[in-house]
Amino acid sequence: MGLEVNNNKIIFTRIFKATTKAVYKAYTDKTLFAQWFHPKGATTEVFEFNVREGGKAFFAIHTPQGTSYTVTQYNKVSAPNYIDYNDFFANAQGEINKTMAGMHNIIEIEDEGEGYVKVIATSELPDAASAQRLIDMGVEQGMHSTFDNLEQLLSS
């Protein structure tokens, strides 16, 4: 399990001891999402959260280094296995930063049997250079840390 880079795509895979419904709920329930969707040492503050096709989310991730704002636009949502969305950097008012590339994301939640689920998180960027910049910025460590939070939530 881990990270794979394929041209402009970053694919992160991890196995969890959980049900597909529990993982899907962690991604789609505002209260649960706020508990885990950030790296260790950070917090998530959710301002808007409407996970459905055509829906939108707006949230902040507060870290010791500062705060980043994200607007998410949901393209396709199919319980309990699939979430397709676009993420954009935003300002504190929820206005998308048009000078920074957005990211297309697909979350696939697969039942592996015997109480285990595989999550495949694919992030598609405009080009391979953009994907490499994210890798260089530490996205792998951030994903491991965030998924550690999800694992902790699922085991509680």
Side-chain angles (χ1 to χ4, degrees):
M1 300 299 100
L3 184 88
E4 172 190 344
V5 179
N6 183 351
N7 192 18
N8 66 328
K9 293 181 181 177
I10 301 171
I11 304 158
F12 198 85
T13 305
R14 182 133 163 199
I15 301 286
F16 295 94
K17 184 162 182 51
T19 64
T20 56
K21 287 181 183 178
V23 173
Y24 179 83
K25 188 174 181 182
Y27 271 97
T28 59
D29 178 280
K30 176 182 176 179
T31 302
L32 295 176
F33 182 85
Q35 292 177 44
W36 73 273
F37 198 81
H38 51 262
K40 295 266 189 240
T43 60
T44 299
E45 181 178 8
V46 180
F47 306 107
E48 182 179 350
F49 204 72
N50 187 10
V51 183
R52 64 170 178 76
E53 290 182 27
K56 177 182 162 188
F58 171 46
F59 58 91
I61 296 179
H62 304 287
T63 71
Q65 295 77 30
T67 299
S68 66
Y69 296 91
T70 301
V71 169
T72 299
Q73 297 172 343
Y74 294 95
N75 304 315
K76 182 175 181 186
V77 179
S78 181
N81 304 101
Y82 189 85
I83 306 167
D84 178 325
Y85 61 96
N86 291 84
D87 270 342
F88 302 94
F89 289 102
N91 64 20
Q93 290 71 45
E95 298 162 337
I96 293 172
N97 181 341
K98 298 197 185 310
T99 66
M100 298 183 76
M103 186 170 29
H104 179 221
N105 300 282
I106 295 175
I107 305 298
E108 297 169 280
I109 307 164
E110 300 176 355
D111 187 348
E112 294 287 288
E114 298 185 23
Y116 290 90
V117 170
K118 177 166 45 175
V119 174
I120 304 164
T122 303
S123 298
E124 183 177 358
L125 291 109
D127 51 49
S130 297
Q132 188 58 52
R133 273 193 297 279
L134 273 186
I135 298 297
D136 294 344
M137 289 169 56
V139 74
E140 182 173 10
Q141 295 85 354
M143 284 297 293
H144 278 297
S145 180
T146 299
F147 274 3
D148 288 348
N149 291 341
L150 176 57
E151 188 166 61
Q152 186 176 355
L153 175 70
L154 292 169
S155 68
S156 63

